[in-house]
Structures are given as C-alpha cells and as structure tokens.
C-alpha cells in the first residue's frame, strides 16, 4: 500500500564502470532525445527499439495514477499537472547495451547523465566519440538517470 501512495520513479539512478575496449564497447549505442521538462518523465517507461532495417524508435509511456500525481503535486502550487520544472532540453538515451553494462543493470532507455564524474551535456554522437577516444584499458564511469526529473521526483516523494 505504501508504494502505491509513494511510488519510486521508474528510472532510478545507477552507476556503471566499464573498461575502454573497442570490441567490448561495440554493442553500445546511444540515441538523442528531448526531455519535456516534467517530473512525470521520471515515471515514464522509455522503450527503445530497433527494426531489422536499423530504424530506431523511442516510445514513452507515462505511469499515471493517484500515487504518481500525489508525488508530482507535493510542494507544487498547481495540482494534477505534469510537474513542469524546466523547458525542453536535449539528452542522450541508451539505445543498445553490451553485456558488461547489462550485467550492471543498465537497460535500453536509461538516460546518460554523467561521464567520468562530470555532468554530460551533449549528443549521442559526441558521447560515442568521447568513449571511442579513450585509451584501451582505461576505466570509464557512467551515471544513468541522475537527471533533474528523477531528482525532483525523489525530493517530492519525501514530502508526501
């Protein structure tokens, strides 16, 4: 009952450590996306699929129920909204994963928020180039889902 009234975001923050290796990193791809500036995004399931022809599609399915709305409305003057806290902003999603990241809990649709300890603000191409530019064997750290939507959702959840 508690979790129904105080749901956690569907995308929780996670941290992964990988070794730069051209062969191992080959299965890892990213996709450019736009965050709509809402807290509701943290409660949205992001599904990334690739067709046999290589076309990528992204679908976002928000989880809307009374618990989610009570979290979004906590600390807000407006009720029953989506919890706008910012404007549209570009972000990078995981489009496909490799075995190493999969074993660490990373899934398609996770949002890349930090790379090697620094906030990542860039495109999917820039992130791929950044990873490819690393020396063979170098340790890379990537943080996923530590974005403003998830942070604000967790903060407001504590107020419900």
């Amino acid at each position: 009952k508690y979790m129904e009234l105080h749901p956690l975001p569907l995308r929780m923050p996670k941290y992964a450590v990988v070794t730069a290796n051209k062969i191992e990193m080959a299965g890892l791809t990213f996709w450019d996306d736009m965050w709509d500036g809402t807290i509701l995004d943290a409660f949205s399931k992001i599904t990334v699929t690739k067709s046999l022809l290589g076309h990528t599609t992204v679908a976002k399915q928000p989880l809307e129920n009374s618990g989610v709305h009570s979290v979004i409305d906590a600390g807000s003057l407006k009720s029953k909204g989506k919890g706008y806290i910012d404007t549209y902003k570009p972000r990078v999603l995981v489009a496909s994963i490799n075995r190493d990241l999969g074993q660490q809990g990373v899934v398609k649709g996770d949002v890349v928020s930090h790379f090697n300890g620094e906030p990542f603000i860039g495109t999917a191409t820039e992130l791929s180039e950044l990873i490819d530019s690393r020396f063979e064997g170098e340790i890379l750290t990537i943080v996923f889902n530590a974005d403003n939507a998830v942070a604000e959702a967790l903060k407001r959840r504590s107020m419900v």
Side-chain angles (χ1 to χ4, degrees):
K1 182 79 177 165
Y2 179 82
M3 290 304 285
E4 288 176 24
L5 298 174
H6 303 84
L8 287 167
L10 294 180
R11 292 181 290 103
M12 290 295 287
K14 56 188 93 165
Y15 174 86
V17 178
V18 293
T19 304
N21 177 319
K22 302 282 186 237
I23 296 170
E24 289 290 320
M25 302 305 275
L28 182 62
T29 60
F30 303 101
W31 186 259
D32 290 318
D33 186 53
M34 289 296 284
W35 171 49
D36 64 3
T38 67
I39 300 168
L40 183 61
D41 180 77
F43 296 98
S44 297
K45 180 178 178 162
I46 300 174
T47 307
V48 180
T49 55
K50 282 189 176 184
S51 71
L52 294 174
L53 298 174
H55 299 293
T56 301
T57 57
V58 175
K60 298 173 190 173
Q61 301 164 327
L63 174 66
E64 295 195 56
N65 59 39
S66 61
V68 168
H69 284 290
S70 68
V71 170
I72 290 172
D73 293 344
S76 175
L77 301 174
K78 186 176 170 185
S79 65
K80 299 295 181 208
K82 292 182 178 184
Y84 283 95
I85 56 172
D86 210 335
T87 58
Y88 276 76
K89 292 220 182 327
R91 64 180 177 184
V92 174
L93 303 177
V94 175
S96 62
I97 58 170
N98 60 19
R99 181 178 177 188
D100 191 22
L101 286 174
Q103 289 175 337
Q104 294 182 62
V106 177
V107 296
K108 294 189 292 184
D110 278 343
V111 177
V112 178
S113 53
H114 295 76
F115 180 78
N116 279 353
E118 298 294 325
F120 179 76
I121 301 168
T123 66
T125 301
E126 291 169 341
L127 181 58
S128 294
E129 289 171 354
L130 193 58
I131 291 170
D132 290 344
S133 72
R134 299 300 177 185
F135 295 109
E136 193 80 13
E138 186 177 345
I139 302 297
L140 309 177
T141 59
I142 307 172
V143 176
F144 303 91
N145 305 323
D147 55 42
N148 289 343
V150 173
E152 187 65 23
L154 290 171
K155 176 181 161 187
R156 291 187 184 197
R157 181 178 184 261
S158 71
M159 295 184 221
V160 175

